[in-house]
Amino acid sequence: MANFETVEVNTDLLIIGGGFSACGAATEAAHWAKKNGLKIALVDKAAMDRSGAVAMGLSAINQYVGLKDGENTVEDYVRYVRQDLMGISREDLVYNIARHVDSSVHLFEKWGLNIWLDEDGKYVHEGRWQLMINGESYKILIAEAAKNALAEAGGEIYERIFIVGPLMDGNKCVGAVGFSIRENQFYVFKAKAVFIGAGGAVHVFRPRSVGEGFGRSWYPPFNSGTSAYFTLQAGAEMTCQEVRFIPVRFKDGYGPVGAWFLLFKARAISAEGGEYMVVRKEELNNWAPYGLAKPIPANLRNYLGMLDIDSGLGPLYMETDEAIQKIASEFKDDPKAFKKKMKELESEAWEDFLDMTISQAILWASMNVKPEEKHSEIAACEPYFIGSHSGASGAWVSGPEDMDTPYKWGYANMTTADGLFAAGDASGASSHKFSSGSHAEGRIAGKAAIKYIIEKGTEPNVDAAQVEKLKTEILAPLDLYETHKGETTDPEINVNYIMPRQFLHRLQKIMDEYAGGVTAAFKTSKALLERGLELMGLLKEDSDKQAAGDLHDLMRLWENTQRMWIAESHIRTMLFREETRWPGYYFRADTPKMDEDNWKCFANCRWDPNTGEWEMMKKDIWTMPGV
Amino acid sequence: MPSYVITEKCDGCKGQDRTACMYICPNDLMVLDMDGSAGYGEMKAYNRDPQMCWECMCCVKLCPQQAMDVRGYADFVPLGASATPLRGTEDIMWTVKFREGSVKRFKFTTRTTPEGSADPLGGFSAHDDINNQALATEPASLGLDAVTTPN
């Protein structure tokens, strides 16, 4: 075995991840750590400047409540999320994020983010909760503030270190283990508290494009379920693992549709010209009360479009030309003003893509599409795990201390594992956070984690034998490859092991066919899920036969294992919830209706590290009084 | 292939251990073929896994020699178009070439402050009561007199 040096890092607060929630945690925790003489270490598998889902930039901020202008109330946002998630929402968490998110947005602006302003100097809204931004460097700005904060607090940043999983002392999280993807080094982080904010999960299902286009996922391919794996392995309770998100976006390029629907007010139609939101309106009655309230939940909007597709009315189109012409027509009597308006609209339409989904701009250019002249196809994408957006999966976390709920057992955003905090995609049942809300939630968790360290922090008790066992297990795939690779003329094909990409294809095929992926039109059933679980069992047995030839592949390999675990929690939770509540996300063909009497509750789960058994449990929904 | 390196322009970041593209790729795709043994050219960078490339263009934007660009995914992108960035200290210029030959140029602001200058507190006054619901820079950074509490 290659000789891997073990590098040990001792700190007070370990922040795992370098994206929006982790940067929020770092920026806030640094302030409190400094005041209390505490240390922080942040670890990112990439470089903070561009790591995570906002690598490319964003063209809008999707959560801004606007409290200072009296536009909306925090309670309005609680109602909005409850409605969009068909009643399944941790209203205390949503409330807490919504009352703090505006300050993250104002900080972003101070750091250098340009938020569009109108003639009166007010933020330009894309929609009720959304602001338009020039966001190509959005991540750089947020990372800069976090890096500066950590520097001021004497914190440490570790980049290109991949974290595999937690170190536990009973039910207490005492650190994490991983490895460098640049040097032969095994890393052991020991801490008094740990924050996990390492993104959601992509490529768990087979994507629509399977060649080079495999990389054109809607959420980034480098989000591999690290957060979910971490909290599952810690034995922490998880929530909403069944609530995957199906985005409907511009086809293949996956460019955003938010500006088109909300700002440009474009219509979406079928190939025969019908607007499915109008033509299929009756279907919404079957999903009352949510289907009958506004705004119509995202999954139901998806579902109406899917009904058109199922009936052979595809492709679906976004009428971009109609929308642009309509807006510019206001100036049709003044050719100069008309030309100016068209130029403005064109710039906004292209910036929308270039700031966050460059591939869609390339796709338009390659098809000679000018949005003011020609419409574009939209389609449902493959499934994603994204608790920060319109999905809801993540760890079950303790709520804010000043709210009287059944969900408090510790510090804000602490999981059921002691000293383990989660935010952003890592924390569940608090949908519609997006970039700003994830940052705000990170700040909430970062502060709470420091408070925990001050009040309860103890020197981490790490079992050296546990560390050695993990080191051997994590590095074993390198040995496996070295030992057997010479046996065949092509090292990729060997009966003794499976290479990371090959393993991933197998996982994705199981999920696609049995767990409601794209080729199944998002439909599944008890029988399909049980069969999927059987095949997953065989895959799990083979997972320690994954082999890697280098550090990059070793990372890819452990990312696959992380994906496999979130996949299993997903199948088990879809099986547990005996109804269909989000038909536009997944459809249980054997229980096709919503069952408010029995299933208006959270479907939680927990994997017990001591017994290896899964426990499924219902948890009550608490509704905010008077909201 | 998603992101690619132009052979005659790439100088392997002038003989350093790590290239800018290796530094920045969020998916760890870029590799420097230092001695040419990987077959990509001595001291040339290459994308080791185009199938995992998100086309985020972090590499293209950062390359000091402008030696990188993106060719849209072969699965579904017809040939002949490109979107090439030129990133400055406060804005970014895009040159979009259409398959039929026309070109559009756009310029968008990227930041309103000097690089490196982000003040974590944003210039807001910060408090030191960890038991208060207010986060460090609140309530000032909220633009309110106090953090909202449930009725």
Side-chain angles (χ1 to χ4, degrees):
Chain A
M1 173 166 112
N3 195 22
F4 272 63
E5 175 200 352
T6 296
V7 177
E8 192 176 297
V9 177
N10 289 285
T11 191
D12 293 313
L13 174 64
L14 174 66
I15 295 176
I16 302 173
F20 267 59
S21 72
C23 284
T27 307
E28 181 74 19
H31 172 79
W32 303 102
K34 219 169 39 180
K35 291 209 178 290
N36 292 279
L38 296 171
K39 291 188 297 185
I40 302 177
L42 182 147
V43 57
D44 187 338
K45 74 180 181 188
M48 280 175 82
D49 274 354
R50 290 286 194 185
S51 62
V54 192
M56 251 189 280
L58 285 176
S59 49
I61 284 177
N62 283 345
Q63 185 185 11
Y64 180 69
V65 184
L67 293 171
K68 71 173 171 57
D69 299 320
E71 292 166 359
N72 300 300
T73 64
V74 184
E75 288 81 355
D76 287 334
Y77 207 78
V78 173
R79 273 187 284 267
Y80 166 60
V81 179
R82 175 202 293 156
Q83 161 68 3
D84 196 72
L85 270 298
M86 312 290 281
I88 310 302
S89 160
R90 273 283 300 273
E91 301 194 358
D92 59 327
L93 299 177
V94 175
Y95 184 94
N96 202 22
I97 295 163
R99 66 174 160 177
H100 290 296
V101 69
D102 287 0
S103 58
S104 273
V105 174
H106 300 148
L107 282 166
F108 298 163
E109 202 178 21
K110 293 284 188 199
W111 295 336
L113 181 70
N114 196 48
I115 303 177
W116 294 12
L117 299 175
D118 62 20
E119 315 86 59
D120 303 318
K122 307 209 96 191
Y123 292 149
V124 170
H125 276 257
E126 180 190 77
R128 183 175 181 186
W129 310 107
Q130 300 90 348
L131 303 177
M132 295 304 291
I133 60 173
N134 298 119
E136 184 277 341
S137 293
Y138 194 12
K139 179 67 208 289
I140 290 183
L141 292 166
I142 271 62
E144 188 174 288
K147 289 200 274 189
N148 289 345
L150 287 173
E152 285 172 23
E156 297 170 313
I157 297 172
Y158 295 85
E159 292 180 328
R160 299 292 173 190
I161 308 292
F162 180 75
I163 294 297
V164 176
L167 283 171
M168 302 299 291
D169 172 19
N171 189 45
K172 185 171 199 282
C173 185
V174 289
V177 290
F179 54 91
S180 163
I181 56 172
R182 293 283 183 262
E183 319 284 340
N184 286 356
Q185 291 170 328
F186 181 74
Y187 270 76
V188 180
F189 290 89
K190 297 181 181 176
K192 295 179 180 155
V194 177
F195 168 87
I196 178 88
V202 176
H203 280 144
V204 179
F205 284 81
R206 185 198 279 145
R208 277 199 188 278
S209 298
V210 295
E212 268 180 13
F214 191 86
R216 179 92 294 275
S217 48
W218 167 75
Y219 212 43
F222 33 95
N223 265 213
S224 62
T226 303
S227 306
Y229 179 79
F230 198 94
T231 51
L232 277 166
Q233 290 288 305
E237 190 172 335
M238 306 289 287
T239 188
C240 300
Q241 291 302 101
E242 76 281 33
V243 192
R244 87 274 280 269
F245 176 49
I246 307 286
V248 167
R249 297 290 183 267
F250 284 101
K251 190 168 178 288
D252 299 329
Y254 291 173
V257 294
W260 284 103
F261 278 132
L262 300 171
L263 188 66
F264 299 132
K265 311 259 191 284
R267 297 185 312 133
I269 61 166
S270 71
E272 63 170 29
E275 195 179 343
Y276 54 81
M277 290 306 294
V278 172
V279 170
R280 301 270 177 189
K281 208 170 152 194
E282 289 302 292
E283 176 60 36
L284 296 172
N285 297 334
N286 296 328
W287 305 94
Y290 317 103
L292 301 177
K294 294 273 192 301
I296 297 165
N299 87 91
L300 294 182
R301 299 197 303 265
N302 282 7
Y303 187 52
L304 300 192
M306 287 170 185
L307 289 171
D308 265 9
I309 294 286
D310 286 349
S311 322
L313 296 175
L316 302 180
Y317 290 97
M318 176 81 80
E319 297 297 273
T320 59
D321 45 343
E322 179 190 79
I324 297 256
Q325 293 301 330
K326 201 163 173 211
I327 296 172
S329 69
E330 195 190 319
F331 304 91
K332 68 181 188 299
D333 296 325
D334 179 349
K336 207 168 161 207
F338 180 85
K339 200 172 169 205
K340 184 171 181 239
K341 189 66 185 172
M342 286 297 280
K343 204 117 187 73
E344 233 175 68
L345 292 169
E346 179 195 62
S347 178
E348 286 172 8
W350 284 91
E351 182 178 3
D352 189 30
F353 292 164
L354 291 167
D355 271 354
M356 70 179 272
T357 312
I358 305 160
S359 304
Q360 186 64 51
I362 295 173
L363 185 58
W364 266 6
S366 72
M367 296 200 176
N368 299 322
V369 167
K370 284 160 195 161
E372 67 277 15
E373 291 171 12
K374 197 168 154 199
H375 64 189
S376 290
E377 274 190 78
I378 57 173
C381 310
E382 57 283 324
Y384 294 86
F385 295 98
I386 177 172
S388 63
H389 196 287
S390 313
S393 59
W396 185 243
V397 299
S398 188
E401 282 152 51
D402 63 342
M403 289 177 80
D404 197 13
T405 72
Y407 315 122
K408 290 192 298 189
W409 55 86
Y411 299 73
N413 281 71
M414 195 171 84
T415 65
T416 57
D418 279 331
L420 178 58
F421 292 79
D425 288 320
S427 128
S430 48
S431 313
H432 290 271
K433 304 179 267 208
F434 309 102
S435 58
S436 49
S438 294
H439 189 268
E441 196 183 19
R443 288 161 65 216
I444 292 165
K447 178 166 174 252
I450 296 292
K451 185 164 184 255
Y452 171 89
I453 294 169
I454 292 168
E455 294 173 358
K456 293 225 168 120
T458 53
E459 279 309 309
N461 175 28
V462 172
D463 176 6
Q466 190 192 126
V467 171
E468 271 315 296
K469 183 165 177 279
L470 284 165
K471 183 178 177 181
T472 306
E473 196 189 324
I474 288 169
L475 301 178
L478 294 168
D479 283 345
L480 185 60
Y481 185 74
E482 275 311 303
T483 306
H484 296 286
K485 71 178 188 195
E487 290 164 14
T488 69
T489 53
D490 180 357
E492 296 273 300
I493 307 185
N494 193 298
V495 297
N496 295 289
Y497 56 69
I498 181 168
M499 300 304 289
R501 188 56 39 84
Q502 297 161 347
F503 184 92
L504 186 56
H505 283 312
R506 190 168 146 197
L507 168 67
Q508 290 187 347
K509 184 176 160 79
I510 292 170
M511 295 306 285
D512 183 47
E513 294 175 0
Y514 299 94
V518 146
T519 62
F522 316 114
K523 292 190 182 70
T524 186
S525 67
K526 181 166 187 272
L528 282 166
L529 291 165
E530 283 176 346
R531 177 59 181 155
L533 216 48
E534 259 180 49
L535 295 173
M536 189 72 78
L538 290 168
L539 182 69
K540 231 169 139 177
E541 284 170 19
D542 288 346
S543 66
D544 62 359
K545 298 262 186 331
Q546 292 188 83
D550 57 27
L551 294 170
H552 175 84
D553 260 7
L554 190 65
M555 173 172 69
R556 291 283 101 115
L557 184 158
W558 282 104
E559 287 174 341
N560 287 346
T561 298
Q562 292 170 348
R563 288 185 175 98
M564 183 181 68
W565 275 77
I566 194 173
E568 183 173 354
S569 72
H570 184 54
I571 292 181
R572 288 184 181 276
T573 313
M574 284 195 289
L575 262 171
F576 182 59
R577 179 181 284 281
E578 290 167 345
E579 63 158 4
T580 296
R581 181 166 290 265
W582 306 273
Y585 294 163
Y586 76 93
F587 199 88
R588 266 199 54 174
D590 58 330
T591 54
K593 296 201 198 339
M594 186 166 66
D595 180 0
E596 288 271 84
D597 292 334
N598 293 303
W599 286 100
K600 191 179 172 181
C601 60
F602 298 105
N604 286 10
C605 67
R606 182 184 170 256
W607 178 76
D608 186 334
N610 299 314
T611 63
E613 296 296 313
W614 287 84
E615 192 194 338
M616 309 303 298
M617 45 208 145
K618 287 185 177 185
K619 287 282 158 87
D620 287 337
I621 295 190
W622 173 86
T623 322
M624 269 192 85
V627 173
Chain B
M1 157 166 154
S3 77
Y4 62 87
V5 177
I6 300 161
T7 319
E8 66 180 20
K9 286 190 180 178
C10 174
D11 66 354
C13 276
K14 299 184 167 52
Q16 287 163 60
D17 226 9
R18 236 126 262 182
T19 58
C21 54
M22 280 182 78
Y23 168 74
I24 203 68
C25 177
N27 210 9
D28 189 38
L29 301 182
M30 299 307 296
V31 187
L32 179 63
D33 188 0
M34 287 187 86
D35 57 6
S37 60
Y40 294 89
E42 193 180 324
M43 287 307 287
K44 303 284 177 185
Y46 67 96
N47 180 331
R48 72 172 112 207
D49 195 353
Q51 215 192 23
M52 276 297 236
C53 181
W54 203 34
E55 291 190 351
C56 69
M57 290 211 185
C58 293
C59 53
V60 177
K61 291 173 184 175
L62 198 62
C63 177
Q65 300 302 334
Q66 281 148 63
M68 294 194 66
D69 208 328
V70 158
R71 191 269 272 129
Y73 304 99
D75 298 39
F76 55 84
V77 181
L79 294 172
S82 63
T84 308
L86 190 59
R87 199 169 167 275
T89 51
E90 54 186 28
D91 52 41
I92 185 166
M93 198 164 73
W94 287 94
T95 304
V96 180
K97 288 200 192 121
F98 284 70
R99 177 178 162 97
E100 38 76 341
S102 70
V103 174
K104 284 194 195 288
R105 287 198 170 81
F106 301 100
K107 192 166 164 190
F108 309 123
T109 303
T110 51
R111 66 183 296 161
T112 60
T113 56
E115 284 179 336
S117 69
D119 163 17
L121 299 176
F124 295 107
S125 57
H127 71 95
D128 56 13
D129 179 5
I130 202 166
N131 294 307
N132 197 304
Q133 273 304 316
L135 300 174
T137 55
E138 294 176 345
S141 57
L142 284 166
L144 301 172
D145 294 327
V147 171
T148 311
T149 49
N151 298 324

